[in-house]
Amino acid sequence: MTGTTTPYAAGAAPAPGSGHAASPRLIGLVLALVAALYVVAPAMNTAVAPLVHTDLGVTARGNAVAQIAGICLAIGALVAAGRAGDLKGRRTVLTVSLGTLCLGSLVLAASPHPAVYVLGRIVVAAALAAVFVSCLAFMTTVSLPGRIRRIMGGWLAAMSAGFVLAVNLAPHAAALTGWRPTAALMAAAAGTVLLLVRRLLPETGPLAPRELPDRVRTVCQAGCAVALAAALQLAPLWSWRDLRIGALLTAAVLAGAAARFRALRRTERSRARAVPGALWTGALVAGLALGFTQVVLAMAVPALLSGAGFPAPAAAAVLSAFGIGGGAACLLLRYRPVPPLAGASLGLPLAALGLALLHALVDHASHALAGGFAVVTLIGFGTMLAAAPQMARYLAAVPRHHLGVHAAPLPAAILLGTAAAQALPYTSALGPLPLPGEARELLWVGTIVVAAAALALGRPVVALVVAVTSVLQYVMVDADTSRPMSVIVALGVGAVAGAVAWSRREQSERLNRTRETAAALQRAVLHPIPDRLGCLRLAGLYRPATAGTAIGGDFLEALDTPYGTRVLIGDVRGKGLQAVQTVTDLLGCFRSQAHETEDLGEVAACLDRQVRRAAAARGDEELFATALLLQHSGPSQDLQAVNCGHLAPLEVGPGRARELPVPAVLPLGFGLLDAAGAVRPHRFALAPGSTLLTHTDGLSEARNSTGEFYPLAQRLSAAGPGTPDDLVRHLDDDVRDWTHHLADDIAVLALGPH
């Protein structure tokens, strides 16, 4: 399709009429400028509110209507704009949204009546939501999934910078120009970025319009969010006992229950296209915490600084520190992978710590600004450190063809967090600025909410440790707040606790990755021993001496070949990567020759030549390997064995375990098996009801704390009769009880008749 791009595009197709292809960096810059309007517009509205009240007569109730209706309509606009972008194209929906924003801002600038101004505010709120979700989906569509983390980090950092500028400059712009020119300036900004979008950004859809996996469920989720947001914001105005609030809450519960019911009934096809519930829940909780924290700080910081005698510009400067800290966290995400669990485990407890300390620091004029700025920076850093990785992981997992509608829950969660914060007594849309004492109560409520989010998203142990540390810090500060040094000590203790928690989490992540790699290596080199092959039942065990390595110098294999069931077990001299390489070569040779070579002695000769080739290639004249090869054919009890310097197998029966006299030749690598037929397999028969056990010396030479070797035959005699699997499981448990430390790898293979 001309003028469109495909998902995961490394770059972007040229926009119609542009004549050239826009680079990914340029696309990201334009989208960051567009999305910055989402944080600039609310700051402008807050700055001009007193002027609008004086000049136009817009009351607090009118502002409340604009705010409540704006949030509710914005949630619906998020879903609608996201879905429209999936169907009609991202740039098309973005340009329509920007045009609506420009029109709404012009309505604000020319408002002749308070009702018109309120209507313009509602339109602007819905348009901003549509712009934001369109930018979010646009950015993700033109990015490879593996790059979303880096791009998301840079994009959110740019938005944080826009928040810092808006909070500090909006009051001055409103005071210098008045509220009408300020609204006109917003319209001009929207028109300018609209031209940039039309000129520089490519069209990214429709990719291939598809039906939603469950349209009813999406509608129910949106209805639940809208009803809940309305109830939370209206409850302080109408009272929680009002029947209308009860009706809204009931509608929210019913819509949520319907969405959950649809999710449980979804088909296998829709389940395959759905976002995993853990990712969806994590992004939702992180967004709720972010929106809640922003409102609490916006209400509490000006109140506390005003009570301490500081002017409004000082409060704006301290509040802008939230954007500075958030931007730092987003840049960290851009240049270093931060696992969502690690980010939440550290970030949210640090944000709770900052909320607990903020009012104690601001109470004292000697260090109120510096301390408040530092702590709000910490809160912003912690909150975004938790939220940004959750958002990036979620966006990387959503289906490409429904990216817009799936991107909507991220900003919707932030709006719901905002609505939840406005349900508190001192943050109501109609309420005045809280008093300093009320602001302290808000901060403690915020601490509880953020701590709960930390327990939900992070490691509970880490969250609890840092939470206890924050309480101790608050006690220290509250006990002696007249000394600035106590604040420094308290922050130092918190920083150390955070660093320890972060380091511990990083080590756990590395250990998990190492274990996953080791498990994959073991599966690739040492194939699992099947339960049955031919007429035999088998069971195998492998325990490397070094924890986390998954494979060492021991090896075992069992194959079903044209010549019967063939088994190999052995031990390579040496340790480390060279031993692993030798094991890999030997197993590869055995898996090939066991199917092609009829004589078991010739198979052993092939293994011998393989070891000698490896020794010559590495210049290791002392390289060798012990091995025991077994073969069983048909329903008889007879077996063939070639023992190349390995331990003799044991016959385990009821109340007995005896070593079978299998003649041994020199180990593999000494060249004595070079000629075919040089070694004739030894034939023997298993007694009825017996199990044959083969093992490496790591089992029989396992020592206890006093240096005694593991008494293998004695322990096997006491094990009692059982299947090969029972015998191997008994040995696994028993040898770990016997020794406190494995000095060598252990390989065990047991076999018996059906």
Side-chain angles (χ1 to χ4, degrees), residues 302-313:
L304 289 174
L305 289 175
S306 176
F310 289 96

Side-chain angles (χ1 to χ4, degrees), residues 445-641:
V445 173
T447 302
I448 295 171
V449 171
V450 174
L455 292 174
L457 295 180
R459 290 283 186 184
V461 173
V462 176
L464 287 174
V465 167
V466 182
V468 170
T469 305
S470 69
V471 172
L472 293 176
Q473 292 179 38
Y474 174 70
V475 171
M476 292 172 61
V477 173
D478 192 56
D480 190 10
T481 54
S482 61
R483 299 181 181 179
M485 184 57 66
S486 63
V487 178
I488 298 174
V489 172
L491 289 174
V493 173
V496 171
V500 170
W502 175 267
S503 175
R504 177 63 179 170
R505 183 60 207 154
E506 288 286 284
Q507 291 175 4
S508 298
E509 290 289 336
R510 285 195 296 269
L511 179 59
N512 289 336
R513 289 193 294 269
T514 300
R515 287 174 175 170
E516 292 173 358
T517 303
L521 175 63
Q522 186 180 46
R523 290 191 297 269
V525 176
L526 298 175
H527 296 172
I529 300 299
D531 296 332
R532 296 176 184 269
L533 276 181
C535 298
L536 295 178
R537 300 180 65 178
L538 301 99
L541 169 69
Y542 190 88
R543 286 279 179 266
T546 305
T549 58
I551 184 170
D554 290 5
F555 54 94
L556 71 166
E557 181 62 290
L559 300 172
D560 188 13
T561 73
Y563 313 107
T565 300
R566 286 181 166 176
V567 171
L568 172 68
I569 186 170
D571 186 5
V572 173
R573 174 198 163 274
K575 296 182 179 180
L577 293 178
Q578 285 195 349
V580 173
Q581 185 176 353
T582 304
V583 166
T584 305
D585 294 341
L586 279 172
L587 288 176
C589 180
F590 177 72
R591 288 163 186 159
S592 173
Q593 295 300 321
H595 290 275
E596 304 294 336
T597 307
E598 180 178 359
D599 185 78
L600 191 63
E602 173 58 18
V603 175
C606 291
L607 296 176
D608 178 74
R609 291 192 290 270
Q610 176 63 48
V611 174
R612 286 190 288 129
R613 283 194 296 268
R618 299 171 197 166
D620 185 1
E621 298 178 354
E622 298 180 358
L623 179 64
F624 68 90
T626 65
L628 176 66
L629 292 88
L630 299 171
Q631 178 175 309
H632 178 268
S633 303
S636 71
Q637 298 286 100
D638 294 338
L639 290 97
Q640 299 181 45

Side-chain angles (χ1 to χ4, degrees), residues 49 298 650 673 690:
L650 288 86
L673 304 176
S690 297

Side-chain angles (χ1 to χ4, degrees), residues 632-734:
H632 178 268
S633 303
S636 71
Q637 298 286 100
D638 294 338
L639 290 97
Q640 299 181 45
V642 174
N643 188 349
C644 303
H646 197 71
L647 298 171
L650 288 86
E651 185 184 70
V652 183
R656 74 179 191 279
R658 69 183 184 92
E659 188 175 286
L660 294 176
V662 178
V665 297
L666 288 178
L668 303 175
F670 285 85
L672 297 183
L673 304 176
D674 196 32
V679 175
R680 292 184 178 276
H682 174 76
R683 295 180 180 271
F684 64 96
L686 274 178
S690 297
T691 299
L692 186 71
L693 180 80
T694 64
H695 64 92
T696 58
D697 58 7
L699 178 64
S700 55
E701 295 180 2
R703 298 173 183 265
N704 62 13
S705 57
T706 60
E708 298 172 320
F709 288 114
Y710 180 67
L712 178 58
Q714 177 185 342
R715 307 295 286 189
L716 286 174
S717 299
T723 65
D725 185 66
D726 294 333
L727 190 63
V728 168
R729 283 192 284 108
H730 167 77
L731 285 175
D732 188 21
D733 295 334
D734 198 52

Side-chain angles (χ1 to χ4, degrees), residues 20-84:
H20 64 279
S23 68
R25 187 181 299 275
L26 181 60
I27 292 175
L29 178 61
V30 173
L31 291 175
L33 290 175
V34 176
L37 297 175
Y38 188 72
V39 295
V40 171
M44 291 289 190
N45 290 333
T46 302
V48 302
L51 300 176
V52 173
H53 172 70
T54 301
D55 295 347
L56 198 60
V58 176
T59 62
R61 183 169 295 276
N63 281 324
V65 170
Q67 181 173 303
I68 296 170
I71 288 181
C72 294
L73 188 60
I75 293 175
L78 288 171
V79 178
R83 182 57 179 161

Side-chain angles (χ1 to χ4, degrees), residues 43 160-172 297-298 300-303 305-306 310-326 358 362 368-378 380:
S160 298
F163 173 81
V164 173
L165 293 175
V167 168
N168 286 281
L169 298 181
H172 299 289
L297 286 177
V301 168
L305 289 175
S306 176
F310 289 96
V318 172
L319 192 59
S320 67
F322 184 86
I324 295 175
L358 182 58
V362 175
L369 287 181
F373 190 91
V375 172
V376 173
T377 302
L378 177 67

